[in-house]
Amino acid sequence: MDKNWNKLRQDFPILAEKMNGEPLVYLDNAATSQKPKSVIEAITAFYQKENANIYRGTYALSAKATEAYEGVRQKAADFIGGEASEIVFTKGTTSAINLAAFGYFLRHLKAGDEIALTAAEHHSNLVPWQQVAALTGAKLVFLPLDKKGRVDLKEAEKVMSDRLRLLALAQVNNVLGTEQPVKELAALAKKRGALVLVDGAQAAGHLPVAVKKLGADFYAFSAHKMLGQTGTGVLYGRKELLDQTQPLEFGGEMIREVSKTTATFKPAPQKFEAGSQNVSGVVALGAAIDYLNAIGLDAIKDRETELGQAMAEGLRKAGARVYGQGGGIASFNLPGVHPHDLATALDAQGIAIRAGQHCAQPMMDWLGVKAVARASAAFYNNEADVEALIKGVQAAKEFFNGTR
Ligand code: PMP
């Protein structure tokens, strides 16, 4: 695909929209990405040509829909370096982590076992573990972070005991954009007999992912953060672990045989997909993966990092305090201005950023702030967007200082 980034921009119809009378500058990609025409068209084409409920093999249309759905399972597996039988379609990262937490770990952890996390986790990779710990008597331990929010390997080793049974952490942090040394940490955790679950919500679609190389036993990600639809995500699990994972939902399609009092289930991954599935969402995920692969994940990572760095540098020059930058993410505050006020002032100029706690309250405590503003660029943003953000922040600063 053409690496002319500004040309790629034209694939995203929403970027031509106006907000509050100004051209839209969308810099909240870490919350959800925008969608290229090919993804939007794949959804429409599915409903125009292939829609039927899947696994109703008695007619050709259903077979077509099933093929479309199952084809994406292989595509998703190739995307992260797993096998199709290791890919479970879920509603998103949150439901993927909950499936691993309550389907597997709830049944395999016992009192005194340890779960290692970091203070930088999104609530969806924290609260499920709090619940599992409360139900099993397992203990949560937190790996120390360095100034950049990165886990320090030497410090981590001191915290990892022989009772460690699970390391669960985000590959890329959603507030600072920090990429964790997952491969090295996974190796340390495995030495102690632990399994590794990686929250890939901010990584998938932003850098190349290879679950086996990373040492991930479970890997969770959301389609909507990587050009696909909301309500669609993936839990990758090593085959033998998925075999030992209990479904959390029971009903149609996940069963093999049902009598009035008992039921047997299909093998993984079908046993986890009870009821009518989000077929168009999965089809959209397939189109999103095709689009990302055509550009190349290495190129996307470089481009997003370039934009992220430019934002951080410009924000600093504009007088903002930047807490961290990684990939396309930069988090900051304007001294004396609440981030919500800043975001509202930017919105009036058509600039969309996020402000608040970012579903990461322990991370806010770690930063020593109540909330931060976060700008997050995707590869389809450009230098003009970065400039608009900086100018917008500058104008907001003058406004709130009463000099404008
Ligand atoms: N983990 C991280 C690091 C995230 O950024 C997010 C989304 N903000 C999630 C988990 C949850 O993803 P979802 O809301 O799509 O389930």
Side-chain angles (χ1 to χ4, degrees), residues 30-31 92-95 97 122 124 170 172-174 199 201-202 222 224-225 354:
T93 304
T94 305
S95 62
I97 294 174
H122 187 281
S124 54
V172 173
N173 169 262
N174 65 308
D199 169 354
Q202 296 293 344
S222 298
H224 73 94
K225 291 186 192 279
R354 185 158 171 204

PDB file of all heavy atoms in Angstrom, residues 30-31 92-95 97 122 124 170 172-174 199 201-202 222 224-225 354, ligand 1:
ATOM      1  N   ALA A  30      -6.758   6.377  21.018  1.00  0.00           N
ATOM      2  CA  ALA A  30      -6.548   5.330  22.025  1.00  0.00           C
ATOM      3  C   ALA A  30      -7.883   4.896  22.629  1.00  0.00           C
ATOM      4  O   ALA A  30      -8.002   3.804  23.173  1.00  0.00           O
ATOM      5  CB  ALA A  30      -5.600   5.812  23.115  1.00  0.00           C
ATOM      6  N   ALA A  31      -8.900   5.766  22.524  1.00  0.00           N
ATOM      7  CA  ALA A  31     -10.234   5.395  23.008  1.00  0.00           C
ATOM      8  C   ALA A  31     -10.910   4.513  21.981  1.00  0.00           C
ATOM      9  O   ALA A  31     -11.418   3.433  22.286  1.00  0.00           O
ATOM     10  CB  ALA A  31     -11.070   6.641  23.291  1.00  0.00           C
ATOM     11  N   GLY A  92     -14.774  -7.786  23.255  1.00  0.00           N
ATOM     12  CA  GLY A  92     -13.661  -6.834  23.294  1.00  0.00           C
ATOM     13  C   GLY A  92     -12.634  -7.298  24.304  1.00  0.00           C
ATOM     14  O   GLY A  92     -12.715  -8.424  24.827  1.00  0.00           O
ATOM     15  N   THR A  93     -11.692  -6.432  24.606  1.00  0.00           N
ATOM     16  CA  THR A  93     -10.637  -6.774  25.562  1.00  0.00           C
ATOM     17  C   THR A  93     -11.218  -7.102  26.936  1.00  0.00           C
ATOM     18  O   THR A  93     -10.813  -8.068  27.581  1.00  0.00           O
ATOM     19  CB  THR A  93      -9.649  -5.593  25.692  1.00  0.00           C
ATOM     20  OG1 THR A  93      -9.146  -5.284  24.404  1.00  0.00           O
ATOM     21  CG2 THR A  93      -8.495  -5.930  26.616  1.00  0.00           C
ATOM     22  N   THR A  94     -12.153  -6.270  27.376  1.00  0.00           N
ATOM     23  CA  THR A  94     -12.719  -6.464  28.711  1.00  0.00           C
ATOM     24  C   THR A  94     -13.330  -7.860  28.838  1.00  0.00           C
ATOM     25  O   THR A  94     -13.051  -8.589  29.797  1.00  0.00           O
ATOM     26  CB  THR A  94     -13.794  -5.391  28.996  1.00  0.00           C
ATOM     27  OG1 THR A  94     -13.190  -4.111  28.807  1.00  0.00           O
ATOM     28  CG2 THR A  94     -14.340  -5.496  30.403  1.00  0.00           C
ATOM     29  N   SER A  95     -14.150  -8.243  27.863  1.00  0.00           N
ATOM     30  CA  SER A  95     -14.785  -9.560  28.003  1.00  0.00           C
ATOM     31  C   SER A  95     -13.759 -10.672  27.783  1.00  0.00           C
ATOM     32  O   SER A  95     -13.882 -11.753  28.361  1.00  0.00           O
ATOM     33  CB  SER A  95     -16.018  -9.712  27.111  1.00  0.00           C
ATOM     34  OG  SER A  95     -15.683  -9.607  25.782  1.00  0.00           O
ATOM     35  N   ILE A  97     -10.570 -10.596  28.816  1.00  0.00           N
ATOM     36  CA  ILE A  97      -9.842 -10.764  30.088  1.00  0.00           C
ATOM     37  C   ILE A  97     -10.749 -11.436  31.118  1.00  0.00           C
ATOM     38  O   ILE A  97     -10.320 -12.321  31.862  1.00  0.00           O
ATOM     39  CB  ILE A  97      -9.302  -9.403  30.593  1.00  0.00           C
ATOM     40  CG1 ILE A  97      -8.234  -8.884  29.624  1.00  0.00           C
ATOM     41  CG2 ILE A  97      -8.717  -9.536  32.007  1.00  0.00           C
ATOM     42  CD1 ILE A  97      -7.712  -7.484  29.930  1.00  0.00           C
ATOM     43  N   HIS A 122      -5.061  -0.720  33.055  1.00  0.00           N
ATOM     44  CA  HIS A 122      -6.429  -0.274  32.806  1.00  0.00           C
ATOM     45  C   HIS A 122      -7.330  -1.070  33.750  1.00  0.00           C
ATOM     46  O   HIS A 122      -7.035  -2.225  34.057  1.00  0.00           O
ATOM     47  CB  HIS A 122      -6.756  -0.601  31.345  1.00  0.00           C
ATOM     48  CG  HIS A 122      -8.062  -0.074  30.854  1.00  0.00           C
ATOM     49  ND1 HIS A 122      -9.267  -0.679  31.138  1.00  0.00           N
ATOM     50  CD2 HIS A 122      -8.365   0.982  30.074  1.00  0.00           C
ATOM     51  CE1 HIS A 122     -10.241  -0.007  30.558  1.00  0.00           C
ATOM     52  NE2 HIS A 122      -9.722   1.010  29.905  1.00  0.00           N
ATOM     53  N   SER A 124      -9.783  -2.699  33.298  1.00  0.00           N
ATOM     54  CA  SER A 124     -10.237  -4.013  32.810  1.00  0.00           C
ATOM     55  C   SER A 124      -9.165  -5.090  32.962  1.00  0.00           C
ATOM     56  O   SER A 124      -9.465  -6.276  32.841  1.00  0.00           O
ATOM     57  CB  SER A 124     -10.771  -3.942  31.386  1.00  0.00           C
ATOM     58  OG  SER A 124      -9.853  -3.379  30.555  1.00  0.00           O
ATOM     59  N   ALA A 170      -0.488  -4.929  30.607  1.00  0.00           N
ATOM     60  CA  ALA A 170      -0.733  -4.353  29.284  1.00  0.00           C
ATOM     61  C   ALA A 170       0.585  -4.236  28.540  1.00  0.00           C
ATOM     62  O   ALA A 170       1.580  -3.769  29.101  1.00  0.00           O
ATOM     63  CB  ALA A 170      -1.379  -2.983  29.427  1.00  0.00           C
ATOM     64  N   VAL A 172       1.062  -2.264  25.970  1.00  0.00           N
ATOM     65  CA  VAL A 172       1.232  -0.812  25.833  1.00  0.00           C
ATOM     66  C   VAL A 172       0.220  -0.146  26.767  1.00  0.00           C
ATOM     67  O   VAL A 172      -0.962  -0.477  26.742  1.00  0.00           O
ATOM     68  CB  VAL A 172       1.009  -0.348  24.376  1.00  0.00           C
ATOM     69  CG1 VAL A 172       1.023   1.174  24.286  1.00  0.00           C
ATOM     70  CG2 VAL A 172       2.046  -0.953  23.439  1.00  0.00           C
ATOM     71  N   ASN A 173       0.721   0.761  27.575  1.00  0.00           N
ATOM     72  CA  ASN A 173      -0.110   1.457  28.552  1.00  0.00           C
ATOM     73  C   ASN A 173      -1.000   2.497  27.875  1.00  0.00           C
ATOM     74  O   ASN A 173      -0.565   3.162  26.942  1.00  0.00           O
ATOM     75  CB  ASN A 173       0.841   2.110  29.582  1.00  0.00           C
ATOM     76  CG  ASN A 173       0.115   3.054  30.471  1.00  0.00           C
ATOM     77  OD1 ASN A 173       0.136   4.258  30.249  1.00  0.00           O
ATOM     78  ND2 ASN A 173      -0.548   2.528  31.455  1.00  0.00           N
ATOM     79  N   ASN A 174      -2.243   2.636  28.357  1.00  0.00           N
ATOM     80  CA  ASN A 174      -3.180   3.527  27.667  1.00  0.00           C
ATOM     81  C   ASN A 174      -3.079   4.989  28.103  1.00  0.00           C
ATOM     82  O   ASN A 174      -3.728   5.840  27.517  1.00  0.00           O
ATOM     83  CB  ASN A 174      -4.628   3.037  27.838  1.00  0.00           C
ATOM     84  CG  ASN A 174      -5.095   3.094  29.275  1.00  0.00           C
ATOM     85  OD1 ASN A 174      -4.437   2.576  30.172  1.00  0.00           O
ATOM     86  ND2 ASN A 174      -6.212   3.756  29.515  1.00  0.00           N
ATOM     87  N   ASP A 199      -2.628  -7.824  28.036  1.00  0.00           N
ATOM     88  CA  ASP A 199      -3.696  -6.942  27.578  1.00  0.00           C
ATOM     89  C   ASP A 199      -3.132  -6.187  26.373  1.00  0.00           C
ATOM     90  O   ASP A 199      -2.301  -5.296  26.518  1.00  0.00           O
ATOM     91  CB  ASP A 199      -4.062  -5.999  28.736  1.00  0.00           C
ATOM     92  CG  ASP A 199      -4.965  -4.852  28.303  1.00  0.00           C
ATOM     93  OD1 ASP A 199      -5.228  -4.714  27.102  1.00  0.00           O
ATOM     94  OD2 ASP A 199      -5.380  -4.078  29.184  1.00  0.00           O
ATOM     95  N   ALA A 201      -4.835  -4.324  24.200  1.00  0.00           N
ATOM     96  CA  ALA A 201      -5.797  -3.340  23.665  1.00  0.00           C
ATOM     97  C   ALA A 201      -5.118  -2.173  22.954  1.00  0.00           C
ATOM     98  O   ALA A 201      -5.597  -1.699  21.922  1.00  0.00           O
ATOM     99  CB  ALA A 201      -6.693  -2.819  24.787  1.00  0.00           C
ATOM    100  N   GLN A 202      -3.985  -1.714  23.504  1.00  0.00           N
ATOM    101  CA  GLN A 202      -3.311  -0.549  22.894  1.00  0.00           C
ATOM    102  C   GLN A 202      -2.139  -0.980  22.009  1.00  0.00           C
ATOM    103  O   GLN A 202      -1.422  -0.127  21.470  1.00  0.00           O
ATOM    104  CB  GLN A 202      -2.790   0.401  23.978  1.00  0.00           C
ATOM    105  CG  GLN A 202      -3.871   1.041  24.825  1.00  0.00           C
ATOM    106  CD  GLN A 202      -4.761   2.012  24.050  1.00  0.00           C
ATOM    107  OE1 GLN A 202      -4.425   2.448  22.940  1.00  0.00           O
ATOM    108  NE2 GLN A 202      -5.897   2.338  24.611  1.00  0.00           N
ATOM    109  N   SER A 222      -9.065  -5.616  21.320  1.00  0.00           N
ATOM    110  CA  SER A 222     -10.367  -5.101  20.858  1.00  0.00           C
ATOM    111  C   SER A 222     -10.272  -4.684  19.400  1.00  0.00           C
ATOM    112  O   SER A 222      -9.346  -3.957  19.026  1.00  0.00           O
ATOM    113  CB  SER A 222     -10.764  -3.852  21.658  1.00  0.00           C
ATOM    114  OG  SER A 222     -10.912  -4.151  23.016  1.00  0.00           O
ATOM    115  N   HIS A 224     -12.261  -2.543  17.906  1.00  0.00           N
ATOM    116  CA  HIS A 224     -12.614  -1.136  17.652  1.00  0.00           C
ATOM    117  C   HIS A 224     -11.428  -0.192  17.810  1.00  0.00           C
ATOM    118  O   HIS A 224     -11.472   0.938  17.355  1.00  0.00           O
ATOM    119  CB  HIS A 224     -13.773  -0.690  18.559  1.00  0.00           C
ATOM    120  CG  HIS A 224     -13.409  -0.488  19.995  1.00  0.00           C
ATOM    121  ND1 HIS A 224     -13.056   0.735  20.490  1.00  0.00           N
ATOM    122  CD2 HIS A 224     -13.308  -1.356  21.025  1.00  0.00           C
ATOM    123  CE1 HIS A 224     -12.787   0.614  21.786  1.00  0.00           C
ATOM    124  NE2 HIS A 224     -12.931  -0.645  22.133  1.00  0.00           N
ATOM    125  N   LYS A 225     -10.368  -0.652  18.462  1.00  0.00           N
ATOM    126  CA  LYS A 225      -9.188   0.213  18.616  1.00  0.00           C
ATOM    127  C   LYS A 225      -8.223   0.031  17.454  1.00  0.00           C
ATOM    128  O   LYS A 225      -7.152   0.628  17.417  1.00  0.00           O
ATOM    129  CB  LYS A 225      -8.490  -0.095  19.937  1.00  0.00           C
ATOM    130  CG  LYS A 225      -9.314   0.342  21.156  1.00  0.00           C
ATOM    131  CD  LYS A 225      -8.533   0.152  22.417  1.00  0.00           C
ATOM    132  CE  LYS A 225      -9.371   0.289  23.653  1.00  0.00           C
ATOM    133  NZ  LYS A 225      -9.615   1.677  24.048  1.00  0.00           N
ATOM    134  N   ARG A 354      -9.049  13.180  24.876  1.00  0.00           N
ATOM    135  CA  ARG A 354      -9.742  12.675  26.064  1.00  0.00           C
ATOM    136  C   ARG A 354      -9.127  13.288  27.307  1.00  0.00           C
ATOM    137  O   ARG A 354      -7.916  13.520  27.356  1.00  0.00           O
ATOM    138  CB  ARG A 354      -9.639  11.147  26.114  1.00  0.00           C
ATOM    139  CG  ARG A 354     -10.444  10.586  27.261  1.00  0.00           C
ATOM    140  CD  ARG A 354     -10.822   9.140  27.077  1.00  0.00           C
ATOM    141  NE  ARG A 354     -11.410   8.653  28.331  1.00  0.00           N
ATOM    142  CZ  ARG A 354     -11.432   7.393  28.687  1.00  0.00           C
ATOM    143  NH1 ARG A 354     -10.909   6.467  27.902  1.00  0.00           N
ATOM    144  NH2 ARG A 354     -11.980   7.020  29.823  1.00  0.00           N
TER     145      ARG A 354
HETATM  146  N1  PMP B   1      -6.924  -2.291  28.283  1.00  0.00           N
HETATM  147  C1  PMP B   1      -6.420  -1.162  27.809  1.00  0.00           C
HETATM  148  C2  PMP B   1      -4.951  -0.898  27.960  1.00  0.00           C
HETATM  149  C3  PMP B   1      -7.254  -0.240  27.175  1.00  0.00           C
HETATM  150  O1  PMP B   1      -6.752   0.903  26.707  1.00  0.00           O
HETATM  151  C4  PMP B   1      -8.631  -0.537  27.040  1.00  0.00           C
HETATM  152  C5  PMP B   1      -9.586   0.436  26.369  1.00  0.00           C
HETATM  153  N2  PMP B   1      -9.470   1.755  26.798  1.00  0.00           N
HETATM  154  C6  PMP B   1      -9.112  -1.742  27.540  1.00  0.00           C
HETATM  155  C7  PMP B   1      -8.230  -2.588  28.155  1.00  0.00           C
HETATM  156  C8  PMP B   1     -10.545  -2.127  27.445  1.00  0.00           C
HETATM  157  O2  PMP B   1     -10.927  -2.315  26.122  1.00  0.00           O
HETATM  158  P1  PMP B   1     -12.462  -2.450  25.724  1.00  0.00           P
HETATM  159  O3  PMP B   1     -13.153  -1.266  26.325  1.00  0.00           O
HETATM  160  O4  PMP B   1     -12.462  -2.411  24.232  1.00  0.00           O
HETATM  161  O5  PMP B   1     -12.957  -3.741  26.278  1.00  0.00           O
END
